[in-house]
Amino acid sequence: MSELAPAPTPTVEEPPTWEDEIDQEATAKGWMPGESASDYVASTCKALPERKEVDDDPAEWLMMRKPTEDEAAVLRMGVPKLCPELLPTVEKALDGKASRSYSDGTYKVKANPGTADDAIAPGTYRVKGDLADCYWERTSKSGNIIDNAFATSAQEITVTIRASDGQFTTRDCGVWKPVK
């Protein structure tokens, strides 16, 4: 008596996941070659809520990471699929509209600084905390001091930077944030 071979088990193909779709579309469009586009989107989806614990505006964190064109395209395509609730934050960052904070340095006053490390938009900024030996100055485009102050001890300082200013310099003041 011969034994019959068992009938082959039919294979059931799993439907593609969002991750599969993101990777396939990124590959088809040549975005981020050699990298996993879905991993990039997933890590961003995970990081943004964590940044909310640290930053007032997690969009600033993403904006200052300066995503490449490929990374931005992957985020615009993948975030609606993996973390749609974060799309407004991602769009704000990718459009360069996130609020910015500033620490020690000299910044050129520009109407739209975007992600430039050395630029600041006109507006009102505030620093809070136990401020000791904080120095700031606003200068003209030619470098002449328009306004400045040295605070040996303060809890809060507010400065308005005008569009006509050339630069804003700050030392040992902590983090300046835009006043909303």
Side-chain angles (χ1 to χ4, degrees):
M1 176 186 274
S2 68
E3 287 188 32
L4 295 174
T9 306
T11 56
V12 178
E13 285 193 34
E14 294 290 323
T17 64
W18 286 124
E19 290 82 356
D20 294 335
E21 288 184 22
I22 292 167
D23 289 334
Q24 289 168 5
E25 186 169 341
T27 299
K29 295 192 176 183
W31 297 332
M32 299 176 62
E35 298 179 51
S36 170
S38 63
D39 285 350
Y40 177 68
V41 174
S43 67
T44 302
C45 289
K46 182 177 186 280
L48 283 172
E50 291 171 356
R51 295 307 305 178
K52 192 155 182 70
E53 303 292 322
V54 179
D55 303 317
D56 290 335
D57 186 1
E60 177 184 11
W61 169 81
L62 179 58
M63 182 177 76
M64 295 312 293
R65 290 188 65 200
K66 301 178 184 174
T68 65
E69 283 185 39
D70 283 1
E71 290 168 339
V74 165
L75 289 173
R76 288 184 198 278
M77 179 260 301
V79 167
K81 296 173 181 172
L82 295 185
C83 52
E85 71 282 1
L86 296 175
L87 187 58
T89 302
V90 170
E91 290 289 344
K92 186 168 133 181
L94 296 178
D95 292 342
K97 295 182 178 176
S99 63
R100 290 270 312 266
S101 55
Y102 300 87
S103 54
D104 287 2
T106 297
Y107 303 94
K108 295 175 189 155
V109 178
K110 293 185 178 178
N112 184 10
T115 60
D117 292 330
D118 66 343
I120 189 169
T124 302
Y125 296 84
R126 181 173 295 132
V127 63
K128 294 181 181 181
D130 292 327
L131 306 172
D133 300 328
C134 163
Y135 177 77
W136 64 266
E137 71 181 28
R138 294 173 38 234
T139 57
S140 67
K141 289 180 180 21
S142 61
N144 295 321
I145 294 175
I146 298 168
D147 193 10
N148 68 342
F150 179 76
T152 57
S153 177
Q155 295 176 3
E156 180 179 308
I157 300 171
T158 303
V159 173
T160 299
I161 299 168
R162 306 206 186 302
S164 58
D165 291 357
Q167 293 79 224
F168 174 71
T169 299
T170 177
R171 282 192 298 272
D172 300 324
C173 295
V175 178
W176 294 87
K177 296 183 179 189
V179 175
K180 298 185 173 151

